[in-house]
Amino acid sequence: MKVSPKLDKSQVQELYRQMQLIRQFEEECSRLYMQGKIRGFLHLYIGEEAVAVGAIPTLKPQDYIVSHYRDHGHALVRGLDPRAVMAELMGKATGTSGGRGGSMHLFDVSKGFWGGYAIVGGQMPIAVGLALSAKLKKEDRVTVCFFGDGAVNEGEFHESLNLAALWKLPIVFFLENNLYGMGSHVDKTHAVGRDLYLAADPYRIPAAQVDGMDLLAVREAAAEAVERVRSGGGPVFLEAMTYRFRGHSMADPSAYREGSEVDLWAKKDPILTFKEKMQEDGLLSEDEIAEIDDEIKEVIEDAVRFGDESPEPDLDSVYEHVYA
Amino acid sequence: MPEMTIREAISKGLREALTDDRVFIMGEDVGSYGGAYAVTKGFLEEFGPQRIMDTPIAESVMVGAGVGAAMGGMKPIVEIMTINFMLLALDQLVNHAAKMRYMSNGQIEVPVVIRTVTGGQLGATHSQNFEGWFASVPGLKVAVPSTPYDALGLIRSSIKERDPVVIAEHAMLYGAKGEVPDEHYEVPFGQAKIRREGKDITLVAHLRMVNVALKVADQLAEKGKEAEVIDLRSLRPLDVDTVIKSVKKTNRVVVIDENWQTGGFAGELVSSIQETAFDHLDGPVGRVCGLDVPAPYSRKLEASVVPTPERVMETIGQLYGL
């Protein structure tokens, strides 16, 4: 798919809506976590919205998405029902996995969303396998595998890139580099340095880096990568430089980051910058923004209400889906 | 009835499986080399490189790509050269393959078959017996065929499974011969086999230890005692019922396991037996396992590590005075 550099008004509204949906959904999750309605680990996508919203709409419905434990954003952009996602986070029977998965394990195969995976790098061999199945079955499917900077140091990363390159599999390796593997800065953990897309070079996989705070830049780079993969050229590697505005998880006060660094990235807030630019270009008005924001507020209130009112899974169901 | 080796029985099962277009085999040296244990010898020429795929030595992605391809609608058979190398793929097998169906609330199935080779006589890092570990993971099925008949029957069942299966083939049993009927049959999971009937003591084993148990039964027979030998055939699901039924008849039981004793699968069986059949026992439930040491290289030392008929006889004598 070739993305026209010129977006029309409805496209702009939709992209803004998707980023704002993620932002407000995550803010609400944060509140619900403090209230004890969401438990376990909760990794918020706040600050990184432009990556999912830039990348995922460039895919076709039949394409496969594989994500990591910070997966709410990818799920929502792919069209998972906010109600079902919220209910899953609350551990309810009506959740995407009936309360068996949780925040780090969202799934909706009917939408090509093949899951959030919570072991760093663990999703990569599986994504390679999905791409392999598409190739063997001669299907027109691209697999997009999201992973973070931490995964680049895992053996599974290297095994996956090597095999995908060797077998020319239809997969986009999509690195969301938010500079920190939990509390450790990439400078302290990666010999290759901050430009992690260079890690694709030994495997001769075409790789590029893009400003992950710039929605349109991500969209263009993603569209190009997906098109290249779809045309049968083998894997492509894309690195989006981004930043999470919150800690690694709700348990992390993020004391290891300088305030000046956080402030600097806050100025690049992907929603604010997109909104301003689109307003300048006359593609988004104050009224339209207010209307979208109101609509999202309702969507989230409805999702929370749905989650609250949904039953917990039946105790008798604990062995369901276990056959051995 | 035709006779064949376990190696030939597995090859036969794989050839049959490959008649399904969704099935392909991948692993280290499964193609032109023909497999480290020659199970897939000639397959590359017969089925072509699209079906028989040599992979780099990269166990995580071998297993993980098998899992992913299975999720995408294929039926991959992954060969991991030895069970020792499975440790490099534990994340894919335990954290992912075994969890997908449950975590996705039934949206995803992972019909992958992982063949690997357990046991052996190749020193500390190449002679381990981890099949019992895998059997402790909900979501995995574990097959342990000790005869050509069971090897073929269990492969047939494995290919039909919708969940991940680990088939642990024993390195020292590939050449073992046995009868395999021409007519189609399958060996279901969770069905132990009574290899020899007896009324005086039950011996429970799997893989190579079944042969040890049968030798013990011969020795007991010379003393006028009849041992019942049970071959588990799959460790998960586990056929505890057959074991319990036998113990209720014989009132004596010894479990034989090639793996280490500490934390091993034998302990699980012993526990199940005493929980269920305590009142039927004439003495403590016996357990004869591999010694708790890394497998030594020296032939003499190694022979002292693996359970032998003599050690089993000694245990039987101590516990039951037989």
Side-chain angles (χ1 to χ4, degrees), chain A residues 96-98 100 105 107-109 114 117 119 122 125-126 129-130 133 137 156 159 163 167 318 320-324, chain B residues 54 56 58 60-61 64-65 68-69 71-72 74 91-92 96 100-105 107-108 139-141 163 236:
Chain A
T96 44
S97 285
R100 283 172 162 70
H105 306 298
F107 293 89
D108 189 344
V109 172
W114 286 75
Y117 295 79
I119 307 292
I126 291 171
L130 282 166
S133 74
K137 291 161 89 179
E156 287 170 325
E159 292 188 19
L163 197 70
W167 289 356
V318 73
E320 266 177 29
H321 308 301
V322 179
Y323 296 110
Chain B
D54 277 323
S60 282
V61 81
M71 286 160 59
M74 300 296 287
D91 177 42
Q92 291 303 315
H96 301 295
M100 294 308 304
R101 181 193 286 278
Y102 198 79
M103 287 198 305
S104 71
N105 205 25
Q107 293 182 62
I108 294 175
L140 297 181
K141 293 190 174 176
D163 287 301
R236 190 181 191 103

Side-chain angles (χ1 to χ4, degrees), chain B residues 124-136:
Chain B
T125 61
H126 279 61
S127 310
Q128 302 173 96
N129 306 269
F130 295 132
E131 62 274 10
W133 284 11
F134 301 137
S136 80

Side-chain angles (χ1 to χ4, degrees), chain A residues 129 132-139, chain B residues 14-26 47 50-53 65-78 109-113 156-163:
Chain A
L132 173 62
S133 74
K135 179 162 180 157
L136 291 173
K137 291 161 89 179
K138 299 185 171 61
E139 294 172 330
Chain B
L14 296 178
R15 280 199 169 86
E16 283 179 13
L18 282 157
T19 57
D20 180 341
D21 286 346
R22 294 169 301 170
V23 173
F24 66 96
I25 294 176
M26 68 173 163
F47 299 99
Q50 297 292 316
R51 313 285 308 283
I52 310 297
M53 299 156 76
V67 172
M71 286 160 59
M74 300 296 287
K75 289 184 80 70
I77 301 173
V78 180
E109 294 182 345
V110 186
V112 65
V113 175
R156 285 172 174 161
S157 295
S158 301
I159 296 298
K160 288 188 171 173
E161 280 295 328
R162 293 152 60 195
D163 287 301

